């Protein structure tokens, strides 16, 4: 298996506070990793370092074998292989759903308008909301917005999808529709790193669960093993709280 | 039988009680809901009546409409009625200043061009609105500078005027092409020429633009207007020139300053902060004085910057500093997630700023931006203190005319109306804009 993401001794400080303490993690191509851990453990920071929304100060990050240099110019094509879905959707409220999806295609990939719209509609159909294409994001429900956000990220044809608590801002009945979309996506062989506390999702979809605390990876294991026989007391305590 | 559901038949709606609807209902609810409220209503109505009646009585009923000079007015009605012939006689000066009468058509043409340039912005099916708007702000002044000032053209100036002229031609050709064929001017020419591929089409499009420029050069070099020095400019015309340039300059400059203030690069940030704080903490009147009296001292001997230009530069810098703070406020209101989403999709700084952040920020800033424009428009009255004859100083000149000696109130009343109309239109337009842009995007 070729590695899709490699973190090698990655450290990150906010001021003098160390949020990541020399993380080592390898995600293979097509692998689906669920990251969990208590609040403030550095899950978001790690996933945001992978696509450089946050700069790490020490260690190396490689995407498909290519190292990130910290230079925006040289990193841009490498980072284009990653797509990100946020907890708060972050759709562009001044554009319609369709424009949200075509926007980066026309401006970053210089795709002709008609082709971009066809691509966008294909992905909106994939997340099953093609009929909402002409609406504005704020006219949609939270679950629909998050599915648009997923379609928008998919439009750029990334090989790796990063999810940072994609269902935490949603009402219970909408969580399912978003998770279903993600399960379908997993079925296509996409490399996925998902920060989530949806343990049902972790059990059925993940190849591996990573547990973090205080900026470190405490343990990682296949979901079966992780839930039935966690090795560390910290993990056990966390699981007893959320299950 | 007991399982059959009961059938629900809705009761017909009753009409609302008559005392709560219609004019009477509204008045009862809003004007006479209680005794103190009723007293206030009557008091307010009385004051309104007195003030409005006094104004109408003075300005219309007792007013004099025909007279040779102020003496005649005073003989007829004394001070109890307005003396409008004085204002009427001065209207050309109030509008055009001391601009030569036989050249006034150049100003009118200039403003007609402005209107013609802006019309496509309101036409449906025109797609290049951003480009047209930008050309209006950046290139229209080049073209119109020759209409307003005239005189001998230098080589560079001819080139610049022609640039403005070519832009104007392009605006209308593109507008027509897009309305008729849904294609821009360049693309249409390429289509007609039968361009095989995109690269060829682009080259033909540029060729068409170059041809347009040459055409504009030919036309412009044929124009020859008498020079009208800027010290003859005045009245509403001057006010519009100063505030127009101030408005057109301050928005883009304010955006750049605001972005600079948030920049990661210390040098740019320090420069922007210094500039903004410096110009914001000094009254406009001081800046005008400084530019008028001190600037010539710093410039090398022989270089003379004309007085109007000095005033315009001062107004532009001052307005940009204010605009920068307004824009900064708007930028701060945009959640960080918007930047992150844009970055995660591979957009660079300028792309995400101009396409994601600014459109949203400008939308929430419309009321304050227009408020600033209105303030700027009125603040241009201050240029009278450095000897420019804007609308306000022109109106004072009426009372110094020997025929209309002492006629001050009427011209003031008149220009007050002019200021009111302009400012009111601006604020109404901003409300309208807000409403249209906000469609479907209410949070
Ligand atoms: N921009 C920032 N500036 C300073 N400290 C930060 C910043 N972002 C995060 N931190 C700190 O870094 C630590 C890790 O934050 P992070 O957001 O990665 O946690 P998390 O595991 O995603 O938590 P949650 O489950 O609440 O989202 C926290 O202690 C947080 O306070
Ligand atoms: Mg988080």
């Amino acid at each position: 298996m070729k590695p899709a993401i490699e973190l090698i001794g990655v450290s990150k400080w906010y001021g003098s506070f160390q949020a990541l303490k020399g993380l080592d993690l390898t995600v293979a191509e097509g692998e689906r990793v669920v990251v969990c851990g208590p609040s403030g453990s550095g899950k978001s920071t790690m996933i945001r370092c992978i696509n450089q929304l946050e700069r790490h100060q020490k260690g190396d990050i490689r995407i498909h074998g290519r190292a990130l240099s910290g230079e925006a110019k040289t990193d841009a094509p490498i980072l284009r292989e990653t797509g990100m879905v946020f907890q708060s959707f972050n759709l562009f409220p001044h554009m319609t759903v369709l424009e949200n999806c075509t926007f980066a295609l026309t401006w970053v990939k210089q795709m002709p308008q008609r082709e971009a719209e066809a691509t966008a509609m294909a992905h909106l159909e994939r997340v099953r909301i093609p009929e909402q294409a002409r609406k504005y994001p704020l006219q949609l429900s939270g679950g629909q917005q998050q599915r648009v956000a997923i379609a928008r990220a998919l439009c750029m044809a990334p090989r790796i999808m990063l999810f940072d608590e994609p269902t935490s801002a949603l009402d219970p009945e909408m969580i399912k529709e978003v998770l279903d979309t993600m399960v379908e996506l997993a079925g296509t062989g996409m490399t996925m790193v998902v920060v989530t506390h949806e343990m049902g999702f972790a059990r059925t979809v993940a190849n591996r669960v990573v547990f973090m605390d205080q900026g470190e990876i405490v343990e990682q294991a296949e979901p079966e093993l992780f839930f039935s026989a966690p090795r560390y007391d910290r993990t056990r305590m966390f699981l007893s709280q959320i299950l | 039988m007991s399982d059959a559901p009961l059938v629900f038949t809705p009761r017909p709606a009753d009409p609302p009680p008559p005392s709560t609807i219609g004019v009477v209902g509204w008045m009862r609810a809003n004007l006479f809901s209680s005794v103190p409220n009723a007293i206030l209503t009557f008091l307010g109505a009385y004051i309104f009546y007195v003030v409005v009646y006094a104004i109408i009585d003075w300005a219309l009923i007792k007013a004099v409409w025909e007279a040779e000079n102020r003496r005649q007015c005073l003989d007829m009605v004394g001070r109890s009625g307005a003396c409008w012939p004085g204002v009427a006689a001065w209207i050309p000066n109030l509008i055009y200043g001391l601009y030569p009468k036989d050249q006034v058509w150049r100003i009118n043409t200039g403003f007609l061009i402005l209107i013609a340039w802006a019309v496509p912005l309101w036409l449906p099916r025109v797609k290049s609105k951003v480009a047209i708007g930008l050309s209006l702000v950046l290139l229209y002044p080049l073209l119109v500078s020759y209409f307003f000032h005239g005189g001998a053209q230098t080589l560079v100036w001819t080139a610049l005027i022609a640039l403005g002229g070519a832009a104007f031609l392009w605006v209308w050709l593109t507008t027509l092409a897009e309305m008729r064929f849904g294609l821009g001017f360049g693309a249409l020419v390429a289509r007609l020429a039968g361009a095989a591929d995109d690269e060829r089409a682009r080259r033909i499009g540029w060729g068409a633009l170059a041809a347009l420029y040459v055409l504009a050069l030919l036309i412009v070099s044929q124009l020859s207007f008498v020079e009208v020095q800027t010290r003859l400019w005045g009245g509403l015309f001057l006010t519009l020139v100063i505030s127009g340039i101030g408005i057109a300059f301050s928005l883009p400059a304010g955006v750049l300053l605001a972005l600079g203030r948030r920049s990661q690069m210390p040098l740019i940030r320090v420069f922007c902060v210094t500039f903004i704080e410096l110009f914001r903490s000094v009254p406009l009147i001081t800046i005008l004085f400084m530019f008028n009296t001190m600037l010539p001292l710093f410039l090398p001997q022989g270089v003379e910057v004309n007085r109007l230009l000095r005033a315009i530069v001062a107004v532009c810098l001052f307005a940009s500093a204010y605009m920068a703070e307004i824009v900064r406020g708007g930028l701060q209101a945009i959640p960080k997630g918007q930047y992150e989403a844009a970055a995660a999709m591979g957009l660079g700084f300028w792309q995400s700023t101009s396409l994601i952040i600014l459109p949203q920020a400008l939308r929430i800033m419309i009321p304050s931006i227009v408020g600033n424009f209105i303030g700027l428009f009125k603040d241009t009255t201050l240029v009278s203190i450095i000897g420019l004859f804007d609308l306000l100083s022109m109106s004072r000149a009426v009372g110094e005319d020997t025929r209309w000696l002492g006629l001050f109130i009427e011209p003031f009343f008149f220009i007050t109306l002019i200021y009111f109309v302009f400012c009111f239109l601006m604020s109404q337009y901003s409300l309208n804009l807000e409403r249209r842009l906000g469609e479907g995007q209410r949070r």
Side-chain angles (χ1 to χ4, degrees):
Chain A
M1 272 283 185
K2 274 200 240 156
I5 307 169
E6 293 164 274
L7 304 185
I8 303 153
V10 172
S11 292
K12 161 84 192 167
W13 286 262
Y14 292 110
S16 60
F17 171 79
Q18 188 170 13
L20 297 182
K21 300 177 182 160
L23 285 190
D24 292 307
L25 180 72
T26 306
V27 180
E29 268 182 36
E31 197 182 7
R32 300 175 291 277
V33 173
V34 162
V35 181
C36 61
S39 180
S41 57
K43 309 180 295 292
S44 299
T45 307
M46 178 182 79
I47 208 169
R48 291 155 60 85
C49 279
I50 295 176
N51 71 353
Q52 293 288 290
L53 287 179
E54 301 283 357
R55 288 273 174 79
H56 59 293
Q57 288 113 334
K58 238 172 103 180
D60 284 320
I61 299 180
R62 298 206 190 117
I63 310 279
H64 293 301
R66 291 192 283 172
L68 297 175
S69 62
E71 288 285 320
K73 269 238 171 64
T74 52
D75 283 354
I78 305 176
L79 292 173
R80 218 164 285 168
E81 292 175 8
T82 66
M84 174 108 168
V85 174
F86 300 86
Q87 178 176 356
S88 49
F89 327 137
N90 294 347
L91 295 175
F92 306 131
H94 62 303
M95 298 179 185
T96 63
V97 165
L98 188 63
E99 286 164 349
N100 263 279
C101 296
T102 57
F103 176 74
L105 287 176
T106 48
W107 287 95
V108 179
K109 293 202 163 170
Q110 262 95 39
M111 195 183 272
Q113 186 68 26
R114 198 160 300 159
E115 201 181 320
E117 281 183 12
T119 312
M121 284 312 289
H123 284 106
L124 286 173
E125 259 155 47
R126 198 166 156 190
V127 300
R128 281 191 242 97
I129 32 177
E131 71 283 358
Q132 312 283 3
R134 305 279 161 197
K135 285 199 190 164
Y136 285 92
L138 297 169
Q139 298 169 325
L140 304 185
S141 75
Q144 290 172 326
Q145 290 191 47
Q146 192 60 297
R147 283 186 286 153
V148 172
I150 294 174
R152 177 176 75 172
L154 290 176
C155 278
M156 297 299 284
R159 292 164 67 193
I160 300 171
M161 282 288 281
L162 309 171
F163 294 81
D164 190 1
E165 307 207 25
T167 55
S168 306
L170 297 176
D171 291 336
E173 72 266 32
M174 297 175 194
I175 292 180
K176 189 173 173 306
E177 61 184 64
V178 171
L179 288 181
D180 285 347
T181 310
M182 291 169 62
V183 172
E184 264 169 50
L185 185 62
T188 66
M190 174 78 73
T191 310
M192 292 166 70
V193 179
V194 185
V195 176
T196 186
H197 292 148
E198 293 295 328
M199 289 307 147
F201 177 81
R203 251 187 249 271
T204 52
V205 176
N207 303 111
R208 186 156 39 123
V209 180
V210 171
F211 175 71
M212 290 181 69
D213 190 21
Q214 312 217 0
E216 286 182 80
I217 293 179
V218 178
E219 68 174 292
Q220 40 183 316
E222 284 172 18
E224 287 289 306
L225 221 56
F226 181 82
F227 290 113
S228 59
R231 299 197 339 257
Y232 284 82
D233 57 337
R234 186 69 192 84
T235 319
R236 273 175 215 172
M237 204 172 87
F238 176 74
L239 286 176
S240 72
Q241 276 164 358
I242 64 163
L243 287 179
Chain B
M1 272 321 275
S2 61
D3 281 356
L6 298 173
V7 177
F8 170 70
T9 29
R11 191 152 47 132
D14 294 332
S19 61
T20 61
I21 53 166
V23 179
V24 177
W26 183 87
M27 281 173 57
R28 274 174 76 138
N30 292 291
L31 299 179
F32 303 103
S33 59
S34 65
V35 176
N37 196 341
I39 293 175
L40 278 180
T41 300
F42 282 121
L43 197 67
Y46 177 70
I47 293 174
F48 184 75
Y49 167 78
V50 169
V51 171
V52 170
Y53 182 78
I55 292 176
I56 291 180
D57 186 48
W58 174 80
L60 296 176
I61 300 175
K62 296 225 180 80
V64 178
W65 300 94
E66 268 171 66
E68 285 304 306
N69 52 42
R70 182 142 192 261
R71 192 71 265 153
Q72 289 184 0
C73 284
L74 290 177
D75 288 344
M76 274 190 258
V77 291
R79 290 175 191 282
S80 63
C83 179
W84 294 122
V87 176
W90 271 77
I91 278 182
N93 289 328
L94 287 174
I95 295 179
Y96 301 109
L98 303 177
Y99 213 85
K101 294 266 178 315
D102 58 336
Q103 299 296 323
V104 157
W105 67 270
R106 278 160 47 185
I107 298 181
N108 297 339
T109 313
F111 279 95
L112 284 180
I113 294 178
L114 172 69
I115 293 168
W117 205 306
V119 161
L121 296 176
W122 281 271
L123 292 178
R125 280 186 291 147
V126 177
K127 279 178 279 174
S128 315
K129 283 188 180 150
V130 174
I132 294 175
L134 276 180
S135 73
L136 179 61
V137 171
L138 299 175
L139 303 178
Y140 166 76
L142 297 180
L143 175 63
V144 90
S145 67
Y146 190 67
F147 276 83
F148 291 169
H149 191 271
Q153 297 180 7
T154 61
L155 209 59
V156 178
W157 196 16
T158 309
L160 290 177
I161 302 166
L163 196 59
F168 184 52
L169 293 176
W170 172 84
V171 164
W172 268 99
L173 288 173
T174 284
T175 301
L176 293 177
E178 282 179 354
M179 285 180 64
R180 186 80 180 72
F181 304 103
L183 281 176
F185 169 65
L188 183 66
V189 172
R191 168 78 62 88
L192 292 178
D197 53 278
D198 278 5
E199 184 53 38
R200 277 279 287 286
R202 197 167 314 138
R203 226 173 302 149
I204 293 177
W206 281 111
L209 285 185
L212 217 54
Y213 184 67
V214 172
L215 177 68
L217 263 182
L218 289 178
I219 299 175
V220 163
S221 56
Q222 294 309 309
L223 292 179
S224 144
F225 296 149
V226 204
E227 177 173 347
V228 181
Q229 291 184 344
T230 51
R231 60 185 173 78
L232 299 178
W233 299 17
L236 180 61
F237 166 56
L238 185 74
T239 296
L240 288 178
V241 166
I242 297 175
S243 52
I245 296 180
I247 285 172
F249 180 86
S250 66
L251 189 54
V255 167
L256 287 181
L257 282 171
L259 291 175
R261 190 168 188 164
R262 292 158 60 96
S263 165
Q264 309 282 335
M265 285 172 269
L267 208 66
I268 294 181
R269 192 171 56 236
V270 168
F271 170 80
C272 291
V273 171
T274 316
F275 180 93
I276 294 170
E277 295 306 329
L278 189 69
F279 278 91
R280 256 164 48 95
S281 41
V282 180
L284 176 57
I285 208 160
T286 322
I287 300 175
L288 282 169
F289 259 130
M290 286 277 289
F291 270 75
N292 198 37
T293 54
M294 311 254 306
L295 200 64
L297 301 181
F298 296 135
L299 289 173
Q301 288 244 305
V303 176
E304 205 178 318
V305 179
N306 116 4
R307 189 191 295 256
L308 175 60
L309 202 57
R310 280 179 256 167
I312 288 176
V313 170
V315 167
C316 282
L317 296 182
F318 181 79
S320 315
Y322 267 87
M323 195 55 79
E325 285 303 281
I326 293 179
V327 175
R328 191 166 70 101
L331 291 178
Q332 266 164 353
I334 306 301
K336 212 166 142 239
Q338 294 286 312
Y339 292 90
E340 293 179 346
M345 293 172 74
L347 291 156
F349 172 79
W350 287 109
Q351 282 180 331
S352 52
T353 302
S354 61
L355 301 166
I356 303 289
I357 306 303
L358 280 178
Q360 295 185 56
L362 289 173
R363 188 162 304 165
I364 31 182
M365 295 174 323
I366 289 173
S368 15
I369 289 180
V370 176
N372 204 37
F373 286 169
I374 292 175
L376 178 62
F377 182 70
K378 292 185 293 186
D379 277 353
T380 53
T381 48
L382 291 176
V383 301
S384 59
I385 62 140
I386 60 169
L388 291 173
F389 279 89
D390 75 315
L391 191 50
L392 181 66
S393 13
M394 223 56 210
S395 79
R396 266 204 303 260
V398 179
E400 283 152 18
D401 180 350
T402 41
R403 275 171 69 199
W404 307 102
L405 210 59
L407 191 72
F408 288 112
I409 299 176
E410 288 84 348
F412 270 140
F413 192 82
F414 179 70
I415 67 159
T416 303
L417 281 182
I418 294 183
Y419 276 112
F420 175 78
V421 167
F422 273 88
C423 296
F424 186 72
L425 286 181
M426 277 197 260
S427 93
Q428 285 305 304
Y429 183 65
S430 100
L431 287 178
N432 175 300
L433 200 62
E434 241 179 287
R435 215 171 301 132
R436 268 188 306 142
L437 290 179
E439 259 168 41
Q441 296 170 46
R442 299 255 172 273
R443 266 165 220 266

